């Protein structure tokens, strides 16, 4: 401090003395002869200087004991030289100090630092660390009340080096620090025990992305990674190579937690080969994900490694991958004739085009070639009752009388749609399903509905005497022929479901085996169409059953709301289902057709359409065609598509 009392200089000297004080000390006021009460000046002697009671701090903890070390009154700060009022800012780096681990002058840290300096530029799952405490202080002493270090189990074994820094200033903006400020005290925290931090890391590895086949840009997506009770040093995220060859690259981005200091989340962002290059289909992409607490990945998080499972759907696009044509028909039954290369369908009475008729359709041209009325157009064609004989020579259709109280069945030739035979049914009988026998074009199974459904076998117009009805309170809901004309399988429903086999003899039907079990009841076999394909029974719902071993087989993973319609191609080894489903990149459900491997049940591709209510009747035609009835905006239509992906 300058001794100005030996240099009396009058008024000019007084001004000079004030300038010297400001330049040398930045403390005293010019007014009042050096004894004023300005901020930070409590007297006229000495220079304000900051010091601490200790130069370093250290603590120890064991992971198995739980909790963290707490240091009570670990350090005192003091100002020598000039007492007065000051502003202070206490900050710390929190690799071991807790989120609210420092208490000073009755305050705890509430502000988190925005970054995590311990991680640098390494992509990691981490949160903001450290904190600051601001306040005012009337010297000469200021003590840290307590220093709480993190739970040892959260950190894991190791030696952690932190620091506490105190700045003392003349002004709130801290542009004028006193001597000795800033003052930094290193903190060493030694943790022994388990090397693996007690952190919870969760990875949601299963995700689905979907893009059109026309997209030439890479397909992007992400996988969420979350962590709680993380050490401040974070958790490093590593991704490995994919065997599929469809990964163009991966990056990791971390989102800092707001203020809790224990949780963080991030995204593994992946880029896939462009859909136009990958091709139409459902591709499976996987790669390993490691989450570790060190850059060498010697200390892995619990559950690590994970495997990312990405379902990469490339949708076929109309006009690019397939042709699509639409007819204003509302159909209630449809079959394909391989000999004539024609589709045959029966229409509802409310169909816009050719209502209540049997129509012949050229699916390649997308035109109705012929349409005929049955029974003179007086009766009503029964929905779902169109069948084709195994030799493709005949079509069978159930038609009611004018009062719609009694049905008969018309047999129509496919070559000219001329009536070949009329099969009479008992009075007051309505038909729910018919099917021509394999290898026996003149033999027909007829299921009549009503309160007591009954299944009967007809040879031309002659019925065999032995019929099959419900049993044990169960109704006969559906049926399918077996491999040939000697067996039929039926679905009984009621209080529980069961599947039965009936022998087809010269006298009719004889129940031979009934299969019922808790497993059948648990899947609640719906009242939908049964199909016998390659020795297995398959329902529209995707459920499958092996009658030779009385066991449920692997089902097809299809959306059953609403119940879909199916079509099976044993020669191609393919199964097809149409239902509604919401695309992964869509906002609402749409009509969707999905192709499967008939043997493995693996999904092969999925195609999307603008309708939202498929009305069933999915039918395979030609080498690569599918037809189905759809409702779009309240209007029914027959949709015809053809493309190479259908048979791939």
């Amino acid at each position: 401090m300058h001794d100005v009392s030996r240099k009396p200089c009058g008024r000019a000297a007084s001004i000079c003395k004030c300038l010297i004080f400001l330049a040398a000390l930045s403390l005293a006021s010019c007014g009042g002869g050096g004894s004023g009460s300005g901020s930070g000046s409590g007297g006229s002697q000495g220079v304000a200087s900051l010091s601490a009671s200790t130069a370093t701090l250290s603590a120890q903890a064991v992971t198995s004991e739980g909790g963290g070390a707490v240091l009570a009154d670990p350090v005192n700060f003091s100002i020598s030289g000039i007492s007065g009022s000051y502003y202070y800012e206490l900050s710390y780096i929190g690799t071991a100090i807790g989120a609210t681990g420092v208490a000073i002058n009755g305050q705890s840290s509430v502000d988190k630092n925005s970054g995590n300096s311990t991680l640098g530029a390494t992509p990691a799952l981490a949160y903001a660390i450290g904190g600051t405490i601001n306040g005012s202080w009337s010297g000469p002493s200021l003590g840290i009340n307590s220093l709480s270090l993190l739970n040892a189990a959260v950190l894991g074994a190791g030696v952690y080096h932190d620091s506490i820094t105190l700045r003392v200033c003349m002004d709130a903006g801290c542009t004028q620090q006193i001597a000795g400020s800033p003052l930094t005290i290193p903190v060493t925290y030694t943790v022994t025990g388990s090397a693996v931090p007690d952190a919870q890391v969760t990875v949601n590895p299963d995700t689905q992305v979907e893009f059109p086949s026309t997209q030439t840009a890479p397909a992007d997506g992400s996988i969420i990674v979350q962590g709680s009770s993380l050490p401040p040093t974070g958790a490093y995220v590593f991704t490995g190579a994919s065997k599929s060859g469809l990964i163009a690259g991966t990056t990791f981005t971390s989102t800092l937690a707001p203020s809790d200091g224990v949780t963080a989340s991030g995204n593994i962002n992946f880029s896939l080969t462009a859909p136009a290059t990958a091709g139409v289909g459902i591709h499976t992409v996987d790669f390993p994900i490691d989450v570790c607490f060190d850059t060498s990945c010697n200390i892995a998080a619990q559950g690590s490694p994970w495997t990312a499972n990405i379902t990469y759907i490339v949708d076929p696009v109309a006009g690019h991958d397939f042709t699509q044509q639409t007819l204003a028909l509302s159909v209630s039954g449809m079959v394909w004739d391989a000999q004539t290369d024609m589709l045959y369908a029966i229409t509802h009475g409310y169909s816009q085009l050719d209502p209540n008729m049997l129509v012949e359709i050229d699916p390649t041209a997308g035109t109705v070639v012929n349409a005929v009325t049955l029974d003179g157009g007086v009766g009503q064609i029964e929905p779902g009752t169109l069948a084709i004989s195994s030799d493709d020579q005949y079509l069978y259709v159930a038609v009611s009388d004018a009062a719609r109280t009694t049905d008969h069945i018309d047999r129509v030739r496919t070559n000219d749609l001329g009536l070949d035979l009329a099969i009479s049914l008992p009075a007051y009988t309505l038909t729910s399903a018919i099917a021509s026998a394999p290898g026996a074009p003149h033999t027909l199974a007829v299921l009549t509905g009503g309160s007591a459904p009954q299944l009967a076998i007809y040879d031309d117009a002659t019925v065999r005497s032995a019929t099959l009805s419900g049993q044990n309170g169960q109704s006969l809901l559906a049926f399918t022929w077996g491999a040939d004309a000697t067996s039929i399988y039926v679905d009984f429903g009621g209080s529980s479901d069961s599947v039965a086999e009936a022998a087809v003899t010269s006298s009719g039907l004889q129940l031979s085996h009934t299969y019922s079990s808790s497993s059948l009841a648990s899947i609640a076999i719906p009242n939908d169409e049964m199909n016998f394909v390659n020795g297995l029974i398959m329902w529209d719902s995707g459920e499958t059953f092996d009658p030779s071993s009385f066991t449920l087989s692997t089902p097809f993973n299809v959306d059953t709301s609403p119940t879909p319609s199916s079509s099976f191609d044993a020669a191609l080894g393919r199964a097809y289902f149409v239902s509604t489903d919401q695309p992964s990149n869509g906002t609402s459900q749409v009509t969707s057709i999905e192709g499967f491997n008939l043997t493995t049940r693996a999904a092969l591709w999925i195609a999307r359409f603008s309708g939202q209510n498929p009305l069933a009747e999915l039918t395979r035609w030609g080498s690569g065609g599918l037809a189905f009835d759809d409702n779009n905006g309240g209007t029914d239509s027959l949709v015809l598509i053809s493309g190479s992906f259908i048979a791939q």
Side-chain angles (χ1 to χ4, degrees):
M1 184 175 66
H2 296 274
D3 185 2
V4 298
S5 61
R6 297 180 182 180
K7 294 183 178 181
C9 56
R11 179 176 179 84
S14 176
I15 296 174
C16 177
K17 177 178 70 175
C18 179
L19 292 175
I20 292 172
F21 257 42
L22 289 175
L25 302 179
S26 298
L27 292 174
S29 169
C30 294
S35 61
S37 59
S39 174
S41 60
S44 59
Q45 300 294 318
V47 176
S49 178
L50 178 67
S51 63
S53 61
T54 183
T56 62
L57 291 172
S58 63
Q60 298 80 36
V62 182
T63 58
S64 61
E65 295 179 355
V70 178
L71 300 179
D73 300 321
V75 61
N76 253 336
F77 298 101
S78 60
I79 293 180
S80 61
I82 301 178
S83 62
S85 296
Y86 302 92
Y87 295 93
Y88 68 85
E89 178 185 274
L90 180 70
S91 62
Y92 63 92
I93 298 298
T95 48
I97 301 173
T100 57
V102 177
I104 185 172
N105 202 23
Q107 290 181 289
S108 296
S109 171
V110 293
D111 298 322
K112 297 293 293 178
N113 294 335
S114 60
N116 191 327
S117 61
T118 66
L119 296 171
T122 305
L125 189 68
Y127 54 83
I129 64 171
T132 58
I133 303 173
N134 295 279
S136 60
W137 171 25
S138 296
S141 64
L142 176 69
I144 293 180
N145 308 120
S146 65
L147 178 65
S148 299
L149 302 174
L150 283 172
N151 188 321
V154 170
L155 290 171
V159 179
Y160 302 92
H161 300 283
D162 294 10
S163 62
I164 298 172
T165 299
L166 181 70
R167 294 197 302 166
V168 178
C169 309
M170 297 290 299
D171 60 314
C174 210
T175 60
Q176 302 177 55
Q177 296 188 59
I178 69 172
S181 176
L183 193 156
T184 298
I185 299 176
V187 180
T188 302
Y189 188 27
T190 303
V191 175
T192 57
S194 174
V196 181
D198 189 17
Q200 299 297 316
V201 177
T202 59
V203 177
N204 299 310
D206 300 326
T207 188
Q208 178 175 300
V209 294
E210 184 170 354
F211 296 90
S213 65
T214 50
Q215 179 174 312
T216 56
D220 299 327
S222 63
I223 294 172
I224 298 174
V225 182
Q226 294 178 310
S228 61
S229 298
L230 289 170
T233 48
Y236 299 88
V237 179
F238 304 91
T239 58
S242 172
K243 296 178 181 178
S244 70
L246 294 175
I247 288 285
T250 61
T251 59
F252 182 77
T253 56
S254 178
T255 302
L256 298 179
S259 62
D260 64 358
V262 293
T263 62
S265 63
N267 291 317
I268 298 173
N269 307 298
F270 56 82
S271 180
L272 302 172
T273 300
T277 302
V280 170
I282 300 177
H283 309 281
T284 300
V285 182
D286 56 41
F287 57 83
I289 300 171
D290 288 281
V291 180
C292 307
F293 298 107
D294 62 319
T295 55
S296 300
C297 211
N298 293 319
I299 306 174
Q302 295 182 28
S304 182
W306 290 267
T307 299
N309 298 302
I310 304 168
T311 301
Y312 180 20
I313 301 175
V314 179
D315 294 334
V317 176
H320 182 268
D321 303 293
F322 64 94
T323 59
Q324 179 175 336
Q325 301 176 89
T326 303
L327 294 174
L329 293 170
S330 177
V331 304
S332 63
M334 186 162 46
V335 295
W336 163 251
D337 184 352
Q339 289 193 352
T340 62
D341 289 335
M342 294 291 171
L343 283 169
Y344 297 95
I346 51 177
T347 61
H348 288 287
Y350 52 80
S351 177
Q352 292 185 65
L353 181 66
D354 300 321
N356 198 32
M357 287 187 171
L358 172 64
V359 296
E360 183 180 18
I361 303 164
D362 181 345
T364 303
T367 58
V368 174
V369 177
N370 198 1
V372 298
T373 59
L374 299 176
D375 196 29
V378 175
Q380 175 68 43
I381 293 176
E382 295 291 350
T385 62
L386 178 64
I388 190 169
S389 62
S390 58
D391 61 358
D392 293 335
Q393 298 297 310
Y394 303 109
L395 298 170
Y396 292 91
V397 185
V399 186
S400 72
D401 58 12
R404 204 174 184 276
T405 59
T406 302
D407 283 348
H408 71 276
I409 296 173
D410 283 348
R411 187 167 74 192
V412 179
R413 297 181 297 272
T414 56
N415 61 352
D416 62 358
L417 296 190
L419 181 63
D420 181 75
L421 179 69
I423 304 171
S424 297
L425 300 179
Y428 303 104
T429 297
L430 296 178
T431 310
S432 60
I434 60 177
S436 179
H442 290 262
T443 299
L444 187 71
V446 180
L447 177 62
T448 54
S451 59
Q454 188 176 72
L455 183 64
I457 305 297
Y458 284 79
D459 298 300
D460 293 323
T462 303
V463 63
R464 301 185 192 181
S465 58
T467 61
L468 192 61
S469 302
Q471 60 172 1
N472 300 324
Q474 296 177 314
S475 297
L476 204 165
L477 301 178
F479 75 94
T480 181
W481 286 96
D484 53 35
T486 64
S487 64
I488 274 182
Y489 296 93
V490 297
D491 179 1
F492 288 116
S495 58
S496 62
D497 289 295
S498 62
V499 177
E501 181 180 5
V504 183
T505 67
S506 59
S507 60
L509 292 166
Q510 179 63 50
L511 199 62
S512 56
H513 299 89
T514 299
Y515 310 123
S516 60
S517 73
S518 57
S519 58
L520 277 177
S522 67
I523 65 171
I525 296 174
N527 180 16
D528 57 15
E529 185 177 344
M530 298 173 69
N531 305 271
F532 188 85
V533 187
N534 290 350
L536 299 177
I537 296 172
M538 299 183 176
W539 284 268
D540 279 351
S541 58
E543 299 292 347
T544 65
F545 181 77
D546 186 348
S548 66
S549 61
F550 179 38
T551 56
L552 287 169
S553 300
T554 304
F556 295 95
N557 185 19
V558 295
D559 191 340
T560 57
S561 179
T563 299
S565 175
S566 60
S567 183
F568 303 94
D569 191 324
L572 280 176
R574 296 292 178 265
Y576 308 93
F577 294 85
V578 60
S579 186
T580 57
D581 179 59
Q582 182 169 317
S584 57
N585 55 357
T587 57
S588 61
Q589 290 194 328
V590 297
T591 296
S592 302
I593 300 180
E594 194 163 6
F596 291 84
N597 183 296
L598 187 59
T599 303
T600 66
R601 316 287 196 271
L604 302 176
W605 54 263
I606 191 166
R608 309 295 192 180
F609 301 89
S610 58
Q612 294 182 327
N613 185 20
L615 304 173
E617 306 307 333
L618 180 65
T619 304
R620 268 281 292 118
W621 62 269
S623 60
L626 285 168
F628 64 99
D629 194 17
D630 198 15
N631 182 286
N632 190 1
T635 302
D636 292 355
S637 61
L638 178 63
V639 181
L640 305 165
I641 66 172
S642 179
S644 60
F645 73 91
I646 292 173
Q648 75 181 20

